Amino acid sequence: MDNLKTKPAKKKILLMGKSGSGKSSMRSIIFSNFVAKDVRRLGATIDVEHAQFKFLGNLILNLWDCGGQDAFTETYLTSQKSHVFSEVGVLIYVFDTESRQFHSPNSKIDLDTYAHIINALHQYSPHAHVFCLVHKMDLVPNDRRDEFLDNKSILINHYSGGFKNAVRTYGTSIWDQTLYLAWGDIVQCLTPNLDLMRNYLSKLGQATKAEEIVLFERATFLRVTDVTTPTGEENPYSDRFERLSNLIKTFKHSLQMYTGQGASHPFGEFTISCPRFNLVLSRLTPNTYVLVVLPPGGMDLVNTRLNIMGVRDGLAALDQPG
Amino acid sequence: MGKGIPTADAGPTTTGNGDIKHRSKRDQKPRLLLMGLKRSGKTSISNVVFRKMTPSDTIFLDTTTTIQKEATHTFMDFQIWDLPGQIDYLDRSFDAESIFGGVGAMIWVLDALDNYMETVGHLTDTVFHLQQSYPSIKYSVFIHKIDCLTEDLRDDTVRDITQRITDDLYDVGLENPPISYHSTSIFDSSIFEAFSKVMQSLVPQLPVLESLLDTIGASCHFEKVYLFDVISKIYIASDTTSVDLRAYELCSDFINIIVDLSEVYGWHQETDFHEGEQLAALQAHGAESYVNNIKGYTLYLREINRNLSFIAISKDPAFDREKSLIDYNVGMLRDTLLKVLDYV
């Protein structure tokens, strides 16, 4: 049972892609609480910007935001190769939908660069996860997005060398919830003890008769894990988790506009009870919020609260490093 | 010019269809006119407020050439008429009655960046003429695009415009005209605040509502209390403490997240789970929501009916303990409001 408790795992995340594709923008929105329209203030990233984020107390994300200009990419692949590509947990490669050099007859620089980077990664960190984000999807007409993304994924996969068929591709945009879907999956593949957390949540689910329980990280409101009953699965919105991340994060901004910056926990408990559903979003451990969705009817708030408190200690222990 | 200036038959009569009793009630439903010079921002305002257009998209709007009528489905059935700015409505060839008869309020949009001498002249002419035939119309001047002026210029501009209009009207013999002034911009919540004030001037029960909200604010230790129209985010009454734009924004965002969450999780039919008395009791209670521990603040929402919601901001540390009492008080308020607003 020794492997239950892990040291604060330090995971190296490489964020790469062509210059101007939106790497720093998405990083700022997810981890630094920027609003989408504020990212135009960001300048170009020079060389590598290191940033550390604590996620769930026991996971330290060591994010390497790698400037995408050709000169920098050149050095990553030559003099700094082993420094950059060793011990990588996740590579996030960002493609720009607008780029004309992605895969046209006269130039496929984007994919070639990508292939070089993938090879370097495979050489130094063969067990890394690779996520490809086709970014700025909002610039593609709505009805063509699926087709567009399918084409790109096939091409990307084709160039993925040693990671062929292990690459996950997402269409993202900073203007809607798709960004949260991709990043939710990224942190999920790094989070330790997911099964144990899910266990606690299903116990909570049985005790409260909840239809759905979602665990969110405090600062980013990315989904850590969730438990959904068959009734809850009937929910017509399959993109609801990333929607929730987006909604709650926006609300967090409004609260901070009112109270001033700096609250580590934007709120304590948020409940809605109405004829069609009941919902409690409550602070769980120092690093998480839990959303409990209950079926319609008179909500027994006191019992729900007690049940939430019941799983709190167990989950808090999982949060602790060491 | 033959293009589409409507005659009287396009007005309320088309909705009548012999339903006399309803018609007479519908005729009382006020109409709201948006006037002002061309390119002052009238259509942008109505799109941002009533169609939820993002402010930056309004640059793509075309010039309005005909009267745009829009029925709003808010707590009251308003009609918003967006009048093209390039036409002189005081011309005798117009059927003034069809446009100005039954108007409750007029919003005159005035571009703060423009040389406003011309529009001030138009405005005073219009007010002067209309005052004679339709004395009940209330006027609001939106000093619009105020965000483009620097902070220190804003006050001066507003003061100057106010002074000119008052002087001009005084010269033609109108003292204390029913005009209110608002500085607005579609890029922040000031346009909603100003629209709220205009709408409030059309709610006859406003004094009663305000005193009710003052009472509940005092008895439950609320900092600020609003009665919101959920769809348009316009508030039809608030307590009489000073205007606080940030509080308004917070409440409006609070409604937003509740509406959005209800969309995600409100897919059940309530009738699948309850029937008879239980269902009726649930529906009679209305939706309720609160958020606590926001750095000492608590947000509280209670649904009044399909359109209206009561929202309060509290700073009382004992809120959680007194929650049931607050629930009861707000429940009583809800019953009273429904009676006052004649929904029961």
Side-chain angles (χ1 to χ4, degrees):
Chain A
M1 297 292 275
D2 275 348
N3 59 349
L4 283 188
K5 290 195 169 178
T6 41
K7 283 183 229 141
K10 224 174 180 181
K11 300 277 181 162
K12 178 166 161 188
I13 303 181
L14 288 184
L15 190 53
M16 297 186 130
K18 216 171 69 143
S19 166
S21 56
K23 299 179 290 300
S24 302
S25 301
M26 59 169 81
R27 171 180 68 118
S28 312
I29 290 174
I30 298 284
F31 293 105
S32 312
N33 279 323
F34 271 55
V35 193
K37 66 174 190 296
D38 287 346
V39 299
R40 65 179 65 147
R41 293 204 304 249
L42 293 169
T45 309
I46 303 300
D47 209 0
V48 181
E49 268 181 25
H50 299 269
Q52 280 202 347
F53 302 100
K54 213 169 165 192
F55 193 81
L56 287 178
N58 61 358
L59 179 66
I60 291 169
L61 303 180
N62 200 354
L63 195 70
W64 292 40
D65 186 354
C66 305
Q69 282 148 54
D70 295 343
F72 299 138
T73 316
E74 196 66 38
T75 57
Y76 305 149
L77 288 169
T78 53
S79 54
Q80 299 183 356
K81 199 169 177 182
S82 66
H83 174 60
V84 171
F85 290 101
S86 55
E87 289 171 51
V88 174
V90 171
L91 167 74
I92 302 165
Y93 200 91
V94 184
F95 290 97
D96 186 343
T97 54
E98 288 237 286
S99 170
R100 277 147 207 235
Q101 296 171 322
F102 182 77
H103 190 77
S104 62
N106 19 7
S107 161
K108 49 185 175 60
I109 298 175
D110 288 8
L111 280 171
D112 284 339
T113 319
Y114 169 70
H116 286 137
I117 284 176
I118 281 289
N119 282 336
L121 182 71
H122 195 249
Q123 187 184 342
Y124 288 95
S125 315
H127 300 295
H129 300 267
V130 180
F131 290 86
C132 289
L133 309 187
V134 183
H135 198 47
K136 308 189 189 172
M137 278 301 266
D138 52 303
L139 299 174
V140 181
N142 220 334
D143 50 328
R144 282 184 36 217
R145 281 184 198 168
D146 289 343
E147 188 195 337
F148 185 86
L149 186 62
D150 285 347
N151 286 341
K152 296 261 155 158
S153 336
I154 293 167
L155 277 170
I156 290 170
N157 196 33
H158 184 71
Y159 281 83
S160 294
F163 291 97
K164 206 164 193 170
N165 300 326
V167 172
R168 284 186 260 182
T169 316
Y170 295 84
T172 55
S173 157
I174 56 168
W175 301 102
D176 59 28
Q177 65 267 20
T178 50
L179 189 63
Y180 291 91
L181 171 67
W183 280 87
D185 286 359
I186 290 168
V187 294
Q188 212 171 39
C189 83
L190 292 173
T191 315
N193 302 332
L194 266 186
D195 289 336
L196 287 173
M197 290 185 192
R198 200 168 286 144
N199 251 339
Y200 279 114
L201 292 190
S202 8
K203 276 185 197 150
L204 177 61
Q206 283 157 15
T208 52
K209 300 191 174 59
E211 288 182 353
E212 184 157 83
I213 298 184
V214 193
L215 192 68
F216 292 102
E217 200 273 331
R218 161 185 67 86
T220 55
F221 276 103
L222 290 174
R223 172 183 60 130
V224 179
T225 182
D226 66 280
V227 171
T228 308
T229 61
T231 336
E233 288 293 356
E234 286 169 36
N235 192 322
Y237 292 97
S238 52
D239 61 348
R240 58 187 180 278
F241 300 122
E242 50 273 23
R243 263 184 195 234
L244 290 171
S245 298
N246 200 0
L247 289 176
I248 302 168
K249 198 125 190 223
T250 316
F251 186 55
K252 181 182 156 185
H253 277 293
S254 340
L255 293 179
Q256 280 177 348
M257 289 288 276
Y258 189 72
T259 58
Q261 296 285 319
S264 63
H265 293 84
F267 57 87
E269 186 181 79
F270 181 178
T271 66
I272 302 178
S273 50
C274 66
R276 293 186 166 211
F277 70 99
N278 293 306
L279 169 156
V280 182
L281 175 62
S282 156
R283 193 182 148 181
L284 186 63
T285 68
N287 294 302
T288 51
Y289 276 84
V290 70
L291 172 83
V292 182
V293 183
L294 301 160
M299 176 166 61
D300 192 349
L301 194 60
V302 181
N303 274 335
T304 311
R305 259 192 215 132
L306 282 176
N307 283 319
I308 290 176
M309 272 162 71
V311 295
R312 177 170 293 162
D313 292 344
L315 278 165
L318 288 182
D319 264 11
Q320 297 302 319
Chain B
M1 194 164 291
K3 195 181 171 191
I5 297 301
T7 47
D9 58 49
T13 39
T14 45
T15 54
N17 266 344
D19 192 349
I20 302 296
K21 215 174 92 190
H22 266 87
R23 244 203 68 189
S24 64
K25 200 169 180 182
R26 199 162 291 164
D27 282 346
Q28 293 167 8
K29 298 272 158 78
R31 194 186 304 157
L32 206 82
L33 289 189
L34 274 170
M35 287 185 79
L37 293 191
K38 60 182 177 182
R39 305 199 50 77
S40 56
K42 301 175 290 300
T43 312
S44 301
I45 290 178
S46 87
N47 274 297
V48 168
V49 176
F50 293 103
R51 289 192 176 166
K52 302 282 156 263
M53 184 182 268
T54 33
S56 48
D57 283 350
T58 55
I59 50 168
F60 302 115
L61 287 172
D62 272 338
T63 308
T64 312
T65 48
T66 60
I67 297 183
Q68 299 292 319
K69 299 173 189 175
E70 181 145 15
T72 62
H73 304 286
T74 55
F75 64 104
M76 278 165 101
D77 296 329
F78 284 101
Q79 264 200 344
I80 311 277
W81 284 24
D82 183 3
L83 303 190
Q86 54 274 53
I87 298 165
D88 181 10
Y89 295 93
L90 301 178
D91 196 311
R92 282 177 179 282
S93 59
F94 277 115
D95 183 359
E97 178 64 27
S98 75
I99 298 178
F100 298 109
V103 168
M106 176 199 286
I107 296 171
W108 190 282
V109 184
L110 195 153
D111 187 341
L113 296 180
D114 220 11
N115 176 15
Y116 42 78
M117 296 299 283
E118 186 190 352
T119 178
V120 165
H122 266 289
L123 168 63
T124 47
D125 274 358
T126 313
V127 173
F128 177 67
H129 279 96
L130 293 182
Q131 268 303 94
Q132 293 164 348
S133 340
Y134 310 100
S136 66
I137 299 181
K138 298 185 179 69
Y139 303 89
S140 302
V141 176
F142 283 10
I143 301 165
H144 198 48
K145 308 184 191 175
I146 197 82
D147 55 311
C148 297
L149 296 177
T150 52
E151 288 289 342
D152 42 338
L153 237 114
R154 289 181 194 173
D155 285 347
D156 287 348
T157 314
V158 171
R159 199 177 311 119
D160 188 39
I161 292 173
T162 317
Q163 196 59 45
R164 276 174 202 278
I165 294 174
T166 318
D167 285 354
D168 280 9
L169 286 174
Y170 187 82
D171 288 347
V172 292
L174 264 180
E175 273 182 79
N176 298 323
I179 302 183
S180 61
Y181 299 89
H182 307 272
S183 43
T184 58
S185 156
I186 51 171
F187 294 97
D188 59 28
S189 57
S190 59
I191 189 67
F192 288 91
E193 176 80 32
F195 240 102
S196 301
K197 292 279 181 245
V198 174
M199 291 300 206
Q200 285 169 22
S201 72
L202 299 177
V203 177
Q205 301 96 329
L206 184 69
V208 186
L209 296 179
E210 283 186 339
S211 80
L212 278 172
L213 294 181
D214 275 341
T215 317
I216 192 104
S219 65
C220 297
H221 310 291
F222 291 140
E223 293 270 297
K224 190 79 194 158
V225 182
Y226 290 104
L227 199 57
F228 258 82
D229 179 62
V230 174
I231 300 161
S232 61
K233 309 279 172 359
I234 284 171
Y235 65 93
I236 66 158
S238 72
D239 60 340
T240 48
T241 55
S242 61
V243 174
D244 182 354
L245 263 188
R246 286 190 315 149
Y248 167 81
E249 280 166 16
L250 178 67
C251 294
S252 151
D253 290 335
F254 185 36
I255 292 184
N256 276 333
I257 188 172
I258 292 178
V259 169
D260 290 339
L261 285 174
S262 308
E263 196 191 329
V264 175
Y265 284 111
W267 52 283
H268 284 303
Q269 286 298 323
E270 51 259 64
T271 41
D272 292 350
F273 285 81
H274 313 280
E275 45 193 11
E277 280 178 28
Q278 213 187 351
L279 178 67
L282 209 57
Q283 281 169 340
H285 186 271
E288 185 193 311
S289 171
Y290 76 93
V291 188
N292 67 10
N293 275 337
I294 314 164
K295 267 193 157 182
Y297 291 96
T298 304
L299 275 173
Y300 180 89
L301 175 142
R302 180 77 178 268
E303 186 183 16
I304 303 295
N305 66 10
R306 261 182 59 237
N307 294 319
L308 294 178
S309 279
F310 166 87
I311 298 190
I313 300 176
S314 166
K315 213 184 170 179
D316 187 3
F319 183 93
D320 285 341
R321 212 167 351 110
E322 288 169 7
K323 172 94 183 353
S324 35
L325 193 62
I326 290 169
D327 279 341
Y328 178 78
N329 281 339
V330 176
M332 297 308 284
L333 171 80
R334 181 172 181 261
D335 295 345
T336 320
L337 283 176
L338 288 173
K339 274 182 203 141
V340 171
L341 293 168
D342 198 19
Y343 278 114
V344 186

